[in-house]
Amino acid sequence: MSKHAEIKKITVSNIRRMKSENEKITCITAYDYTSAKILDQAGIEIVLVGDSLGMVMNGYENTIPVTLDEMIYHTKSVKRGLQRAFLVTDMPFGTYNVSHEKAIENCVRVIKETGAEAVKLEGGAEIAPLVERLVKSGINVMGHIGLMPQSVHVMGGYRIQGKDGSEKLAADAIALENAGAFSIVVEGVVAETAKKITAAVGIPTIGIGAGVHCDGQVLVYHDVLGLFDDFTPKFVKRYANLKEVAVKAAENYVKEVKSGVFPDGGHSF
């Protein structure tokens, strides 16, 4: 049971305190009202509307085609399902990479229209000046370093990061902390490097495929529940196989409709 289970609404202060008190932080993605309600009831501290919706909701090859309007639509749906969890939304590719002015305009739009409590941006020291401006504008920022899906073409694919040491990634994390980010996602980084990054900063690190030493963990909702099987990264642990359950339920529905078993008297007016 979380030491903070009695908290009625998770805030940035609660998230920071969890690191200082060595309590692990839980984060899962959500993309709609129903999944948000499930995660909130389960006690998840951070719900992330990830641009991973491009793959699991829209069937894109990667996250790059996701638009700002898509992120806003899904974030608004998720917000309506949350009471306790802290809500973060991804800023999709191209919405914060052109100019600081346009980036701030887009981030303000997301916060105003969705009710999200923070935005997440991919990048290290190179985006620290933007992060600083966003924070000064009153917007909470979650950073994201290591494997950055929006940079998949530049990185040459989904490659594990940090094999050559932690200096560059630790410097990125420190730059983001100094700019005012309240937490940092560390993705696809070897565990020992992630441990050094976590020790180098005073803000929480949220790992995904980065080992046990991060201050928290994040996974994709559809991966946790076994709903998405187009591909399964090594770091994913399935806690259920709901796709199998759903397929069987649909098959039973087909069978009963075809045979005239459904609807019966109990399901008819």
Side-chain angles (χ1 to χ4, degrees):
M1 178 67 68
S2 168
K3 290 183 287 186
H4 297 101
E6 74 285 355
I7 296 172
K8 293 184 178 179
K9 182 69 183 76
I10 300 293
T11 67
V12 166
S13 296
N14 300 134
I15 294 166
R16 289 177 178 271
R17 193 178 305 122
M18 289 177 73
K19 174 169 177 130
S20 66
E21 296 178 0
N22 295 314
E23 180 180 354
K24 294 291 188 179
I25 300 162
T26 59
C27 178
I28 296 183
T29 65
Y31 314 100
D32 57 40
Y33 170 80
T34 304
S35 59
K37 285 190 70 176
I38 290 169
L39 296 179
D40 209 47
Q41 184 176 337
I44 297 294
E45 282 96 20
I46 301 175
V47 170
L48 169 67
V49 184
D51 58 4
S52 47
L53 67 85
M55 285 92 82
V56 299
M57 299 296 289
N58 297 345
Y60 300 150
E61 183 179 349
N62 52 49
T63 65
I64 293 174
V66 176
T67 67
L68 191 62
D69 286 339
E70 286 174 320
M71 294 305 305
I72 289 172
Y73 173 85
H74 285 277
T75 304
K76 289 168 70 175
S77 300
V78 169
K79 177 66 175 179
R80 289 189 284 269
L82 298 181
Q83 293 184 6
R84 180 177 180 271
F86 187 85
L87 178 58
V88 182
T89 191
D90 263 333
M91 295 302 295
F93 179 75
T95 61
Y96 60 95
N97 318 79
V98 178
S99 70
H100 285 187
E101 287 67 29
K102 189 63 178 176
I104 293 169
E105 178 184 327
N106 286 334
C107 290
V108 167
R109 182 187 168 202
V110 166
I111 297 296
K112 284 176 69 71
E113 293 188 19
T114 68
E117 292 148 313
V119 296
K120 181 168 77 66
L121 312 180
E122 293 186 8
E126 73 278 7
I127 69 162
L130 171 59
V131 172
E132 184 173 4
R133 288 190 61 179
L134 288 169
V135 173
K136 286 181 177 178
S137 299
I139 297 174
N140 290 316
V141 177
M142 175 183 278
H144 184 144
I145 62 174
L147 173 60
M148 296 180 290
Q150 292 177 12
S151 301
V152 61
H153 295 321
V154 175
M155 289 183 161
Y158 296 97
R159 300 176 182 275
I160 299 302
Q161 304 295 303
K163 292 181 178 179
D164 300 327
S166 60
E167 290 78 12
K168 169 63 168 65
L169 289 172
D172 283 336
I174 291 168
L176 291 171
E177 178 182 19
N178 290 341
F182 75 91
S183 64
I184 305 170
V185 169
V186 179
E187 179 170 359
V189 172
V190 295
E192 192 60 30
T193 295
K195 180 180 181 180
K196 292 176 181 177
I197 294 168
T198 299
V201 293
I203 57 176
T205 57
I206 311 296
I208 179 167
V212 72
H213 301 294
C214 293
D215 298 304
Q217 298 292 327
V218 57
L219 284 176
V220 170
Y221 180 85
H222 292 66
D223 290 338
V224 170
L225 298 182
L227 290 166
F228 180 82
D229 60 3
D230 288 8
F231 56 87
T232 304
K234 176 185 177 182
F235 57 77
V236 166
K237 180 176 180 179
R238 287 183 174 175
Y239 288 81
N241 188 355
L242 296 194
K243 179 180 178 180
E244 182 177 310
V245 174
V247 169
K248 287 182 178 178
E251 287 174 345
N252 286 336
Y253 169 74
V254 170
K255 181 180 178 181
E256 291 196 357
V257 171
K258 296 287 188 183
S259 64
V261 172
F262 177 83
D264 56 16
H267 296 93
S268 300
F269 294 103

